Amino acid sequence: MTNIASRTERNAAVKYSPADIEAKWQGRWAADQLYKAEDSVPGKENWYALTMFPYPSGDVHIGHWFAYTPADAHARFMRMQGYNVMHPQGFDSFGLPAENAAISRNIDPREWTIANMDNMRRQFNLMGASYDWSRELATCLPDYYRWNQFFFLKFFEKDIAYRKNGAANWCPKDQTTLANEQVKDGACERCGTTVVRREMPQWFFRITDYADELLEMDSIDWPEKIKVMQRNWIGRSTGVTIGFDVSEYVEAGDADKIQTFTTRIDTVYGVTFVVLAPEHPLAETLTQPGQKAEVDAYIENARKQSEIERTSTEREKTGVHTGAFATNPLNGEKVPVLIGDYVLATYGTGAVMGVPAHDQRDFIFAKKFGLSIRVVVAPDGWSGEALAEAYIAPGTQVNSAEFDGLPSQEGMQKIADKIEANGWGSRTVTYHLRDWLISRQRYWGTPIPILYCDNCGTVPVPEQDLPVLLPENVEFTPTGQSPLTLDDDFVNTTCPNCDGAAKRETDTMDTFVDSSWYHLRFTSPGLMEEPFDSERVKQWVPVHQYMGGAEHAVMHLLYSRFFNKALRDIGFVEFDEPYARLFNQGTLTRDHMKISKRANPLNPEPIVERFGTDTLRCYLMFLGPWDQGGDWSDQAINGISRWLHRVWDLTLRDTTDPTQSDPKAERELERMSHVTTGRVVTDMKQFKFNTTIAALMEYTNDLSRIADSNGVSRETWTSAIERLLLHLAPLAPHIAEELWQQTGHRYSVHLQSTPDWDEAKATSDTETIVVQINGKVREQLQLPAGVSEDAALEAAMASEKVQRYTDGSEIIKKIFVPGRLMNIVVRPGR
RNA sequence: GGGGAAGUGGCGAAAUGGCAGACGCGCAUGCCUUAGGAGCAUGUGUCUUAACAGACGUGUGGGUUCGAAUCCCACCUUCCCCACCA
C-alpha cells in the first residue's frame, strides 16, 4: 500500500505546472499539423468552423481571447463528435489603422502590418487554438487582393458595380468617403468624427438590387436579433409615389412633376404644401425671382451643415418658400412649394407631400410657416375642431371627395387605385438601404482596376493584367485626395483598347470587400489560377458555423450576404447564403466597464504566465453564457485554477484498492459518468460552456469523494478519469493532452471521440419525489425509480410530515408528475 | 419616436411550468503547514427562534394554473440597435 508520505512526495514531484506543458504540446501539435483539415475524409461529414478574422492591430488582447477560445473549444468538440473540422484563421489586413500608424511612426504600412501579423500569430499560438495555419490568408497580399479586383471586373461587366457622381459621406479626419453603414449617429464609425457630405464621383455596388432577397432569412439559422437589425437597416416600406404638377415653371421637355413618396396616401386630400430637400434638382429651377436670394442662402447653409446637425430631432424646423405652386392631381388644388432640410435627399424621392393634420413633422412645419392644416382622416367622435397635434392613427375619411366616410385603411387602397388608373402615380416600395459605396481615398487598400482613357472613356483593366499592384513608396499622408493620385508611375498608363494615354483610377476599395468572400478563399489556400476551387467550395460552404460579434450586423454580415448572391448570379457559387449558422458572442467587460488599453488594461500574456492558457480559456468560458458577454473578475479566475489543479492531482493520484470494490459505489459512479456526458454534450452543442464546466466540476467533486472512499475497481476508476479528460480536451487542451499521456494513452487526446452516453445508465435506481400540500413542499421521499402514482401516494400518506397537513382535511385533488412530485390539494376541515 | 435584449444572494450565475440559488468567487469558523498570490474540511438568501421548525423571497402590480423566476396583461429600470425614413 502507498503510504501517506510517499504519496505526498510523489505528488509534489509532479505538481501541475502549466508553463511546463503548454508550450511543449503547442509545439508538438504544430509540428504534427494535428489540425490540418483534409478536404474530405471518408465516413466523416465536413464542419467548417469560422470565426470573424481579426484586424492585425499588433496585439492579441483579452477581447480576442474571449471571441476565439470558446469558438475553438466548440470546433474541437465538433471534431471529437466525429466531424472533419476545418478551423482556419487569417488577417483582415488592409485598412486605416496601418496607414495611420505608418504616418505617425514614419514607416511603411506594409512593414507595420507584416510585423503585426507575425507577432499576433505567435500570440495566437499561446491560446492553444486548433487553427489550420496551412490555410492562413492575409487580405493585403497581392495573391488575395487580385481576386477583389477580379470580382470587381466581373461586377462591372454585369453592371453590379457602377460609378456615379453624388453627395457622399465624408470623414474629415480620416479623409475618405464612407458607406452609409459606416456612419453611426452622424459620425464616422471608426474615429467618431462628424461626417459631412461631399460631392464626388464614387464607385458603388448595387446591393439595393438584392434588398428583397436580403430580407429573406428563413433558410439561415442566425440569432433573431441580427435578422431584425438587418431587416430594419434594409427598411422596406410600401406606399405610393405621386407626382405634383409644376409644368408652368419648367422648360418644355424637362421634368414637370415633383415626385413624392408617401406611406399614407389616404391623407392625400390633406396636402397643403410640398417640401423639397435642399439638394433636390428642382429646388433651384422652381425658385421664383423674388425668392432667389433667400433660397440660395438657405441651400448654401444646408450644404455646410453636418449630417449630425441636420438630422437632430431636437432642432427647430427650418425652411424657405420657393414662390412656386404645385398641383395636387386629386383635387386640382395648387399648394405652395417650400424647401426644408427636414426632408432628406437620400430617402424616397427627396420630396414630401405636406400633410400637417396627419404627420407630426409636417404639423410643426405648417404651424411655423402659417400653412393651413386640413383634417382628412377623422378620429372617432371628431366634430371639426382644430387639432393640437397631428392625428397619426387610422380613422374615417373626411374632406376626401368621393372617399368620404370610408375607413382610412380602405380609403388608402381605393385612392391608390384611382391614382394608378389615372396615371398620376403608382404603388412603390422604398428602402432605407443605399447602394454600397466602396471607393476610399486612402492608400492601404485594393486598387480599383479601372482606367480612364480620353478616347475610350472608362475602361476595365484586362483580366490578364491583374493584379493592379499597390505601388510602394507612395506619399500617403491624407490630403483629401487619393494618395495614389500623387504617384505618376502608377497613374499614367496606356489604354488597352486604343494604346492611347490613360489614367488609372486612384481610389482603393472599402476593406469590407476583402472580408465579403474570405471564407471562400480558406477552402483553396494559395490557388493561383482562380479565386477558389469550386469543388472544394461545394464541400465546405455555406460555412456550417460562423462566430463573431454583433457589431457587424449591418456591415460585414450584410455585405457578405450580398456578395454571395452577386457571385451566385454571375455563376461562381451555387448556394444563396454564405453562413448557415451564426453565433454572436457578447462583450467582455471588467467591473462592468468596457475594457480599454488606457483605463483598465487586461493583457492576456501575464495571465497566461501566472495561471496558464487552459485556466484562462476555461475561465473566459465559465463567466456566463457566451452570447451575453461576461464580466472579468481578478479573483474568480482562482476557482478555475484550483479546479484544474484538483483534476491534475486526482488523475495522477494512486487511489484505488482493488480489494475494496463496492457494487453500489460502482453503479453510482457509472450513473454520474453518464449524467455528466449527457450534460456536456447537450450544453457544448449549444455553446453553453459555463454549464459544461459546472458539470465537469461537479464530476470532479464526485470523483474526489469516491477516491477518498476507495470504493471502485481500477477499471471503473480509470474509465471515469478517461471520460473526464475527454470532456476536458476541447476546453483545456493542454492539461488534457498531458494527463492523457501520463495515464498511459496514445497521442493524441484530440483525435479521440466524445465518450458514449447511455441514458439508461444515467438513470438512478431511486428518485426523489417531492410531496407538496397545496403547492407547498412539505416532504421529500426517496422512492424506487419509476414509482407508480399509487405507490407514491401511499408513501406520501405514510409520512408524518404530510399527515400533519392532511389530517382532518378533505383531499380534493392529487397531481402526480412521474419522477418529480406529488401535489396533494386539500380543503381544511372545520 | 421605432425595434430588440435583459432585471434572481455580497458578486459571476443556474434552473424556461414541478425542490429557487447548481457551479464558482467572496466571506466565516476550524485543520494543516518553517507562511502561500497555498491546500483541506464545514458553513453561508432574508426574517422569527435557544433549538426543532416556520414565514418570506427571483424589478413592481395584477392574472392564468394544483403549482410561476419561467406563461399572459400593465408598469418601472438598465443596456443595445435604428431614427426628421415621409
Side-chain angles (χ1 to χ4, degrees):
Chain A
M1 260 177 92
T2 322
N3 68 41
I4 301 286
S6 75
R7 184 185 294 172
T8 311
E9 239 165 61
R10 179 169 171 264
N11 282 352
V14 292
K15 198 166 183 285
Y16 173 42
S17 168
D20 294 341
I21 62 166
E22 291 181 347
K24 175 180 81 178
W25 288 116
Q26 284 160 12
R28 174 90 189 263
W29 298 330
D32 295 348
Q33 294 196 294
L34 194 67
Y35 308 115
K36 187 169 162 45
E38 299 302 325
D39 288 312
S40 70
V41 172
K44 286 194 176 187
E45 264 181 64
N46 281 1
W47 183 265
Y48 188 173
L50 183 65
T51 57
M52 293 178 187
F53 65 160
Y55 179 81
S57 55
D59 280 307
V60 173
H61 55 75
I62 198 78
H64 289 115
W65 279 70
F66 189 68
Y68 293 135
T69 56
D72 172 63
H74 191 263
R76 287 175 173 276
F77 172 74
M78 294 309 283
R79 184 176 287 114
M80 295 181 78
Q81 286 281 98
Y83 289 89
N84 177 39
V85 172
M86 167 166 64
H87 192 35
Q89 188 58 290
F91 295 99
D92 189 11
S93 53
F94 265 141
L96 267 186
E99 220 169 315
N100 292 338
I103 290 161
S104 65
R105 290 159 214 224
N106 197 27
I107 50 166
D108 185 58
R110 192 174 279 98
E111 280 171 32
W112 184 85
T113 303
I114 301 285
N116 283 350
M117 293 196 297
D118 290 343
N119 190 40
M120 287 178 78
R121 211 176 290 109
R122 177 188 67 77
Q123 294 176 55
F124 268 125
N125 283 328
L126 280 184
M127 297 191 316
S130 59
Y131 295 134
D132 178 354
W133 282 111
S134 72
R135 293 172 189 264
E136 181 189 344
L137 61 81
T139 56
C140 68
L141 301 177
D143 285 354
Y144 186 87
Y145 72 70
R146 68 175 295 166
W147 303 113
N148 286 343
Q149 296 172 338
F150 172 84
F151 289 133
F152 180 96
L153 294 176
K154 297 286 176 197
F155 286 178
F156 179 71
E157 191 185 315
K158 302 284 180 179
D159 196 36
I160 297 169
Y162 67 96
R163 192 169 188 244
K164 186 184 76 174
N165 196 9
N169 302 307
W170 177 265
C171 173
K173 177 153 183 287
D174 290 341
Q175 298 272 320
T176 182
T177 52
L178 299 170
N180 264 22
E181 289 76 11
Q182 289 151 32
V183 180
K184 302 273 175 227
D185 296 328
C188 173
E189 185 255 336
R190 180 171 289 285
C191 70
T193 307
T194 300
V195 165
V196 298
R197 298 197 72 80
R198 193 169 170 180
E199 291 276 330
M200 51 203 302
Q202 297 284 291
W203 285 95
F204 293 86
F205 284 165
R206 274 189 215 282
I207 191 171
T208 53
D209 280 3
Y210 292 86
D212 278 322
E213 204 196 332
L214 288 167
L215 281 169
E216 180 50 55
M217 288 179 270
D218 289 347
S219 69
I220 47 178
D221 183 4
W222 283 25
E224 198 50 38
K225 178 179 144 188
I226 302 290
K227 291 187 180 180
V228 167
M229 280 165 75
Q230 292 208 347
R231 255 179 234 125
N232 290 344
W233 185 260
I234 294 166
R236 183 181 203 270
S237 63
T238 55
V240 172
T241 303
I242 176 171
F244 286 72
D245 188 277
V246 286
S247 51
E248 62 184 288
Y249 303 98
V250 299
E251 311 251 327
D254 287 353
D256 61 356
K257 287 200 172 87
I258 300 173
Q259 296 296 339
T260 64
F261 173 76
T262 180
T263 55
R264 289 294 304 278
I265 198 63
D266 54 322
T267 66
V268 69
Y269 285 89
V271 173
T272 56
F273 56 93
V274 169
V275 192
L276 306 176
E279 297 87 350
H280 197 285
L282 281 171
E284 286 184 53
T285 324
L286 292 183
T287 298
Q288 299 305 292
Q291 295 299 110
K292 188 163 179 11
E294 208 184 330
V295 168
D296 286 352
Y298 186 81
I299 294 176
E300 178 56 28
N301 185 37
R303 193 169 288 149
K304 277 195 293 200
Q305 290 189 31
S306 69
E307 276 296 282
I308 225 166
E309 290 164 326
R310 278 202 42 191
T311 58
S312 164
T313 43
E314 312 292 302
R315 186 162 161 266
E316 206 178 327
K317 301 226 170 337
T318 60
V320 57
H321 279 275
T322 59
F325 289 82
T327 308
N328 183 341
L330 281 110
N331 55 15
E333 276 184 22
K334 291 196 162 191
V335 295
V337 177
L338 293 93
I339 297 167
D341 66 5
Y342 80 96
V343 175
L344 305 176
T346 51
Y347 185 75
T349 59
V352 299
M353 57 180 221
V355 187
H358 306 294
D359 181 283
Q360 188 60 21
R361 293 155 302 182
D362 295 348
F363 185 87
I364 293 166
F365 194 73
K367 282 279 184 190
K368 180 158 178 184
F369 289 89
L371 301 157
S372 58
I373 298 173
R374 183 195 304 150
V375 173
V376 291
V377 174
D380 275 354
W382 181 73
S383 50
E385 66 274 12
L387 300 174
E389 55 179 17
Y391 176 72
I392 320 262
T396 309
Q397 302 279 163
V398 293
N399 297 321
S400 302
E402 71 263 35
F403 303 102
D404 281 356
L406 288 178
S408 55
Q409 284 100 327
E410 201 181 325
M412 195 167 326
Q413 295 311 318
K414 297 241 160 92
I415 293 171
D417 289 344
K418 180 171 177 178
I419 289 167
E420 290 188 330
N422 286 283
W424 296 330
S426 59
R427 288 179 166 86
T428 321
V429 178
T430 304
Y431 302 90
H432 169 247
L433 183 72
R434 301 267 75 95
D435 273 343
W436 176 12
L437 192 170
I438 61 142
S439 304
R440 296 293 178 271
Q441 293 68 43
R442 294 298 298 251
Y443 167 68
W444 192 232
T446 306
I448 294 174
I450 289 288
L451 308 173
Y452 302 103
C453 166
D454 288 341
N455 302 321
C456 314
T458 303
V459 180
V461 172
E463 237 176 70
Q464 66 271 17
D465 293 349
L466 297 183
V468 176
L469 285 173
L470 185 65
E472 298 183 28
N473 303 318
V474 171
E475 174 53 51
F476 49 79
T477 310
T479 57
Q481 58 175 331
S482 304
L484 295 182
T485 314
L486 305 173
D487 185 333
D488 290 340
D489 290 346
F490 176 81
V491 173
N492 296 313
T493 183
T494 47
C495 173
N497 289 349
C498 68
D499 279 340
K503 289 191 183 300
R504 286 191 191 278
E505 167 66 59
T506 52
D507 284 353
T508 53
M509 292 184 206
D510 182 3
T511 56
F512 281 112
V513 175
D514 312 355
S515 52
S516 288
W517 65 279
Y518 76 115
H519 57 288
L520 300 170
R521 184 68 180 173
F522 273 134
T523 65
S524 318
L527 189 64
M528 293 308 286
E529 303 76 25
E530 290 177 287
F532 48 79
D533 178 315
S534 303
E535 277 313 303
R536 288 193 240 168
V537 161
K538 264 186 227 167
Q539 286 170 313
W540 289 110
V541 193
V543 172
H544 303 89
Q545 182 65 59
Y546 199 29
M547 296 161 278
E551 67 274 14
H552 287 298
V554 295
M555 295 194 280
H556 163 60
L557 287 170
L558 191 62
Y559 295 144
S560 197
R561 291 183 65 219
F562 151 72
F563 211 93
N564 185 91
K565 292 172 195 299
L567 288 184
R568 177 202 58 198
D569 289 350
I570 59 179
F572 279 89
V573 298
E574 289 175 5
F575 37 84
D576 298 324
E577 293 284 346
Y579 314 117
R581 290 214 308 167
L582 174 68
F583 191 95
N584 284 126
Q585 82 273 12
T587 1
L588 182 69
T589 56
R590 185 185 198 182
D591 304 322
H592 301 281
M593 286 181 299
K594 248 188 121 173
I595 296 172
S596 81
K597 269 187 190 166
R598 286 218 187 115
N600 50 350
L602 191 53
N603 297 326
E605 289 200 46
I607 301 167
V608 169
E609 272 170 41
R610 187 170 149 201
F611 293 102
T613 291
D614 286 334
T615 299
L616 179 53
R617 286 171 61 106
C618 289
Y619 179 58
L620 291 169
M621 290 186 254
F622 187 63
L623 284 174
W626 195 34
D627 55 349
Q628 284 169 39
D631 194 50
W632 176 277
S633 143
D634 291 330
Q635 302 253 34
I637 192 171
N638 287 319
I640 296 289
S641 181
R642 279 175 205 148
W643 171 54
L644 291 181
H645 274 96
R646 282 207 308 277
V647 168
W648 178 277
D649 292 342
L650 190 65
T651 302
L652 299 180
R653 187 165 154 184
D654 185 7
T655 180
T656 55
D657 179 354
T659 60
Q660 288 191 12
S661 168
D662 164 16
K664 262 177 83 178
E666 295 264 344
R667 171 71 192 97
E668 187 53 18
L669 177 52
E670 182 185 54
R671 189 189 66 81
M672 290 182 316
S673 299
H674 285 266
V675 166
T676 302
T677 299
R679 288 170 69 183
V680 167
V681 170
T682 23
D683 288 355
M684 283 299 287
K685 278 184 184 160
Q686 298 172 66
F687 298 88
K688 287 162 80 175
F689 306 109
N690 55 331
T691 49
T692 300
I693 291 173
L696 290 176
M697 285 174 166
E698 282 183 61
Y699 191 50
T700 310
N701 295 343
D702 291 339
L703 290 176
S704 295
R705 218 167 296 126
I706 288 169
D708 291 340
S709 69
N710 254 356
V712 297
S713 71
R714 180 149 303 214
E715 283 97 332
T716 313
W717 178 256
T718 306
S719 80
I721 288 290
E722 228 168 58
R723 185 180 293 269
L724 177 63
L725 297 180
L726 289 168
H727 286 318
L728 196 60
L731 307 162
H734 311 84
I735 188 175
E737 186 79 290
E738 177 70 22
L739 291 174
W740 189 251
Q741 192 198 46
Q742 290 211 22
T743 48
H745 294 88
R746 283 184 62 192
Y747 175 83
S748 156
V749 71
H750 303 297
L751 300 176
Q752 309 302 313
S753 299
T754 311
D756 289 338
W757 172 56
D758 185 344
E759 194 168 358
K761 288 182 180 162
T763 5
S764 172
D765 304 335
T766 63
E767 56 195 25
T768 309
I769 300 289
V770 169
V771 184
Q772 297 180 337
I773 311 295
N774 292 347
K776 286 194 190 298
V777 178
R778 298 299 179 187
E779 175 67 300
Q780 293 173 26
L781 302 168
Q782 291 301 318
L783 298 173
V787 68
S788 71
E789 177 168 358
D790 290 344
L793 182 63
E794 196 182 326
M797 295 314 289
S799 155
E800 194 199 318
K801 282 183 187 167
V802 172
Q803 285 165 13
R804 204 184 304 164
Y805 292 93
T806 54
D807 278 359
S809 301
E810 183 192 349
I811 295 177
I812 303 169
K813 199 171 178 182
K814 294 162 296 220
I815 294 107
F816 179 66
V817 182
R820 287 192 185 272
L821 62 73
M822 166 69 74
N823 188 10
I824 301 170
V825 184
V826 300
R827 184 187 301 149
R830 311 197 173 167

